[in-house]
Amino acid sequence: MKYRQLGSTELSVSEVSFGTWAIGGSWGKKDDSESLRALDRAMEAGVNFFDTADVYGDGHSEQLLAKATKGKEDSIHIATKFCRAGDIHDPSIYSEASVRAYCEQSLKRLERERIDLYQIHCPPIAILRDGSVFEVLDKLRAEGKIREYGVSVETVEEGLLCLQYPGVKALQVIYNLFRQKPEQELFPQAHARGVGILVRLPLASGLLTGKFSETAKFDADDHRTYNRNGESFNVGETFAGLPFEKGVSLSRSLHWIAEGRGNMTRASLRWILDNPNITCVIPGFKNTAQVEDNLGALEVPSFTDAERQRIEQFYKREVHEHIRGAY
């Protein structure tokens, strides 16, 4: 395992880390015993950073992380998020009383005294412009409730706005072969300001595994069914904002990236890790086999300049125009 510094913080995190949305809920059937085995396998391999949120299974993924990391609180870092358990457009959700309550509830579920990275969970840009929530987070950090804080954003504009606040030490961004816009302006500016980048949905909800056909079906409680067109939250959170059938077709055009790299999963993650402005990728998982596959990205060859140019041109010519939602 290799580790990268999270921006200008003292946190050093595994370059392949993991997100826990899938083991909390909203990705179809789940098995807690298998989830715990998968978490153990990740930690055995040197993974020292996990991302979660209070709304993943209504706190269930936080509780699973508490079990998995018991006694390892000093060596295993946890990032969690807040605000989406309420009305994200209501300013009172970001008041000191509200944020404190969210923080205390997460600390209780995580069975920890401090959250390593506390993130605002995709708030409206008006909240970011107002900025008062960052004053609350500064207080929580001064009190030792949180170590660092950051923001999970949907758009480049939101990310650039967050960089204006000196306390923001991390941005969580959707970035993958199908969604390349953040690398142009946001990533270099974040790097220059000492702000770490966590890449979520690096496999575009599974499209970039290359395993789906146009007729694939997902469970009713899987966001790949109920948010396919942005019915419940930003459409970019599902299949990178691409119409599913178009995404499947585009993934076939990228099968070549797996040559010499095992499979598309490992190649897709490797492409992200090749970007020096990235701190880590946080793919999801539901079992140990998926953990192993994601970790395999550490062993495969980097992309050549010619390959990267081919991918960039493919994105500009074939992909970009089909992305829906705020970006």
Side-chain angles (χ1 to χ4, degrees):
M1 180 62 67
K2 295 179 181 177
Y3 301 85
R4 302 185 185 186
Q5 210 70 18
L6 181 65
S8 61
T9 75
E10 295 181 354
L11 286 169
S12 178
V13 302
S14 46
E15 58 182 15
V16 173
S17 294
F18 285 94
T20 60
W21 186 10
I23 64 172
S26 300
W27 288 77
K29 296 181 178 67
K30 60 185 186 297
D31 179 333
D32 286 354
S33 296
E34 179 60 25
S35 297
L36 290 169
R37 284 193 292 271
L39 287 166
D40 285 342
R41 177 65 194 108
M43 289 184 286
E44 286 173 8
V47 174
N48 74 340
F49 183 59
F50 296 94
D51 175 78
T52 187
D54 56 6
V55 291
Y56 294 170
D58 293 326
H60 188 60
S61 71
E62 289 182 328
Q63 293 169 328
L64 286 172
L65 282 171
K67 291 181 181 179
T69 66
K70 195 69 175 173
K72 304 174 183 177
E73 290 84 358
D74 292 335
S75 58
I76 305 298
H77 307 306
I78 292 180
T80 193
K81 301 185 283 292
F82 73 95
C83 83
R84 300 193 78 85
D87 176 0
I88 62 170
H89 298 281
D90 181 356
S92 69
I93 291 294
Y94 308 91
S95 68
E96 182 172 344
S98 177
V99 176
R100 280 187 181 278
Y102 284 135
C103 183
E104 292 293 347
Q105 289 161 11
S106 284
L107 285 168
K108 183 176 181 180
R109 286 188 293 267
L110 290 167
E111 299 179 28
R112 294 193 170 211
E113 296 181 358
R114 181 177 67 173
I115 295 167
D116 294 299
L117 178 65
Y118 202 36
Q119 303 159 104
I120 315 174
H121 198 173
C122 300
I125 196 166
I127 297 300
L128 299 174
R129 289 198 181 104
D130 172 76
S132 57
V133 66
F134 297 114
E135 297 173 11
V136 176
L137 293 169
D138 283 332
K139 287 184 180 181
L140 293 177
R141 184 172 59 184
E143 294 169 12
K145 297 288 186 182
I146 61 178
R147 186 170 178 175
E148 305 289 354
Y149 65 81
V151 187
S152 181
V153 298
E154 300 283 11
T155 70
V156 168
E157 182 184 9
E158 291 167 359
L160 292 170
L161 180 57
C162 290
L163 295 181
Q164 297 178 18
Y165 297 96
V168 173
K169 297 301 182 183
L171 293 177
Q172 189 177 134
V173 180
I174 303 173
Y175 175 63
N176 55 54
L177 286 159
F178 286 156
R179 202 173 175 91
Q180 299 181 28
K181 182 180 176 182
E183 72 181 29
Q184 298 164 10
E185 184 179 5
L186 180 58
F187 291 174
Q189 288 202 33
H191 179 75
R193 292 173 183 254
V195 175
I197 297 290
L198 316 180
V199 172
R200 73 181 186 274
L201 298 170
L203 300 174
S205 307
L207 280 177
L208 289 166
T209 66
K211 297 177 180 178
F212 296 154
S213 69
E214 285 87 350
T215 58
K217 301 295 182 184
F218 302 94
D219 292 341
D221 62 347
D222 189 320
H223 75 100
R224 292 173 292 185
T225 294
Y226 68 77
N227 193 60
R228 185 169 290 199
N229 297 302
E231 296 91 338
S232 296
F233 39 83
N234 189 296
V235 69
E237 300 286 345
T238 305
F239 302 127
L242 292 169
F244 177 67
E245 293 77 8
K246 184 63 179 178
V248 172
S249 174
L250 289 168
S251 72
R252 290 198 187 99
S253 299
L254 281 174
H255 278 184
W256 65 269
I257 67 173
E259 296 172 13
R261 298 186 179 93
N263 58 36
M264 283 187 66
T265 296
R266 297 175 185 187
S268 297
L269 296 177
R270 182 70 259 167
W271 178 84
I272 295 170
L273 291 171
D274 284 346
N275 188 319
N277 292 325
I278 300 301
T279 305
C280 65
V281 291
I282 49 172
F285 66 95
K286 293 177 75 174
N287 53 56
T288 52
Q290 290 174 344
V291 165
E292 295 282 6
D293 203 19
N294 290 328
L295 291 171
L298 297 166
E299 309 298 330
V300 303
S302 292
F303 284 78
T304 65
D305 289 343
E307 286 176 322
R308 292 191 72 85
Q309 289 172 7
R310 180 178 174 183
I311 289 168
E312 181 181 356
Q313 290 304 310
F314 171 72
Y315 168 75
K316 289 179 177 178
R317 295 172 181 170
E318 306 293 335
V319 181
H320 182 264
E321 65 179 301
H322 299 288
I323 296 173
R324 301 167 297 170
Y327 186 21

